[in-house]
Amino acid sequence: MKDLNNYLIPSEEDINWGLYINVVGQATVQAGQAYPDPQHPTGYFFKWEKGRVLREYQILYIVEGEGIFENKESTYEVQKGNIIFLRPGEWHRYQPNKKTGWTEYYIGFNGDWMGNVIQQETFQNTQLISTSASGQITSLFHDLFDIVKEERLGYQKIGCGIILQIIGHVIQLSKKRNDLGQGEKLVEQAKIKMQEALYTEVDFQEFCDENNISYSYFRKAFKELTGLAPLQYHLNLKIIKAKELLVGHQKKVKEVAFELGFNSVYYFSRLFKQKTGVSPKEYRS
């Protein structure tokens, strides 16, 4: 996925509704790359020596890589899957490890609704939330990116609904993080990898090699937790995306097939009908 950095201008109606989005973005920071991006506007850009104080809430989700986060209380090591929650008026600074870099998803927002959210223990301070990688959170961020890029009527309210879902999942994950077994953690990591590879293929054997497990163990754990084999789960994600591209973007069947990494339009059409009961052309009309 390409870097994304959308700064938004909420309307008075959006503000009065109780929650509104200021910025949504995604960035992959390569090892040794300058951080943060000097193209960030005043109010977001900061120098490590001075740190930063925001005028909004932010959620920063680390999809890959590792780094460091500091607030007034302490210094924390940031790992893949962690959430950095930032509150307005509170000093902080963070950066990826220069040897590894990281991939970050972030949202900046404000609104009266946050008065209730920050009563929850998970969000009472500017802090690092030690969650594990979550396919659900990754998927919600992708939904938010799509909605913000299109800026259709009501996108602010729909986007804020997604933010509240993300907050709910973060609370849930922070409470059960110690209960996750190895199999469940691997499945969550695989879900994220599949979500990131909607337009390509996933090498599941390579994933297993990277995590020092056998493919048979991984496939069994994945099917036990999701009800589907890894490949079928990934194909289902592609079909869900295909539905969106066919109807929401009015793309041709051939365009959708190739965009989602299918080499054969015939195979894509047959798979689509198998999964949905209708052909792509019928679904589009």
Side-chain angles (χ1 to χ4, degrees):
M1 182 178 180
K2 295 181 179 179
D3 285 0
L4 169 72
N5 199 17
N6 279 32
Y7 295 97
L8 309 175
I9 302 177
S11 68
E12 184 176 351
E13 178 184 341
D14 296 326
I15 294 172
N16 291 336
W17 194 61
L19 196 64
Y20 57 93
I21 307 170
N22 298 318
V23 62
V24 169
Q26 180 271 346
T28 296
V29 184
Q30 303 296 337
Q33 183 177 331
Y35 188 87
D37 185 344
Q39 300 301 315
H40 283 324
T42 304
Y44 289 99
F45 179 77
F46 67 94
K47 293 184 178 181
W48 176 256
E49 294 76 16
K50 293 185 177 181
R52 181 179 65 177
V53 175
L54 290 170
R55 297 181 180 180
E56 66 183 15
Y57 297 94
Q58 278 198 8
I59 290 176
L60 185 77
Y61 176 47
I62 307 304
V63 184
E64 293 286 350
E66 57 188 43
I68 190 171
F69 165 74
E70 292 184 6
N71 59 15
K72 286 187 176 180
E73 283 71 42
S74 190
T75 299
Y76 307 88
E77 291 185 4
V78 181
Q79 304 294 329
K80 173 182 176 179
N82 288 175
I83 297 280
I84 298 175
F85 176 63
L86 307 172
R87 291 166 44 126
E90 297 182 357
W91 181 88
H92 62 271
R93 61 184 181 182
Y94 53 83
Q95 64 180 3
N97 187 311
K98 292 186 181 299
K99 294 182 179 179
T100 65
W102 71 22
T103 297
E104 60 182 23
Y105 293 174
Y106 54 90
I107 43 178
F109 51 97
N110 266 322
D112 295 337
W113 284 9
M114 289 303 296
N116 292 323
V117 172
I118 60 176
Q119 300 304 313
Q120 302 293 316
E121 181 180 359
T122 307
F123 295 100
Q124 285 182 351
N125 301 291
T126 284
Q127 61 181 304
L128 177 73
I129 304 173
S130 299
T131 56
S132 300
S134 166
Q136 290 173 313
I137 291 178
T138 302
S139 180
L140 286 168
F141 264 100
H142 279 261
D143 290 344
L144 183 59
F145 295 154
D146 289 342
I147 287 168
V148 167
K149 281 188 288 188
E150 293 176 2
E151 291 194 25
R152 294 184 177 181
L153 184 65
Y155 81 95
Q156 274 274 357
K157 294 180 178 63
I158 297 171
C160 288
I162 294 175
I163 291 175
L164 291 176
Q165 289 184 66
I166 291 172
I167 287 171
H169 282 297
V170 171
I171 292 173
Q172 179 191 35
L173 287 171
S174 66
K175 288 181 178 179
K176 75 168 192 175
R177 62 179 180 269
N178 294 325
D179 299 328
L180 289 176
Q182 182 192 21
E184 191 171 354
K185 290 178 181 178
L186 288 169
V187 168
E188 285 298 324
Q189 290 176 22
K191 286 180 179 179
I192 293 172
K193 197 173 189 69
M194 293 181 205
Q195 189 70 48
E196 292 287 292
L198 285 179
Y199 305 102
T200 58
E201 298 301 320
V202 175
D203 187 334
F204 293 110
Q205 185 59 58
E206 181 182 58
F207 173 81
C208 292
D209 293 342
E210 289 172 351
N211 288 279
N212 298 313
I213 56 170
S214 68
Y215 177 74
S216 59
Y217 169 83
F218 165 68
R219 188 180 187 280
K220 181 180 178 182
F222 195 95
K223 193 165 185 178
E224 284 180 350
L225 289 166
T226 68
L228 293 169
L231 178 59
Q232 289 302 313
Y233 187 93
H234 192 215
L235 288 174
N236 282 354
L237 289 178
K238 286 176 177 280
I239 295 301
I240 291 171
K241 188 65 178 180
K243 290 178 179 179
E244 178 188 329
L245 294 173
L246 286 167
V247 177
H249 298 264
Q250 290 295 302
K251 292 195 174 186
K252 296 179 180 179
V253 176
K254 183 177 181 180
E255 290 178 319
V256 173
F258 290 143
E259 187 170 338
L260 291 174
F262 293 95
N263 294 322
S264 165
V265 179
Y266 172 75
Y267 171 67
F268 166 72
S269 298
R270 183 163 60 87
L271 179 68
F272 190 95
K273 187 168 185 177
Q274 177 187 330
K275 297 285 188 183
T276 67
V278 296
S279 69
K281 287 184 178 179
E282 290 171 325
Y283 185 84
R284 190 177 173 215
S285 61

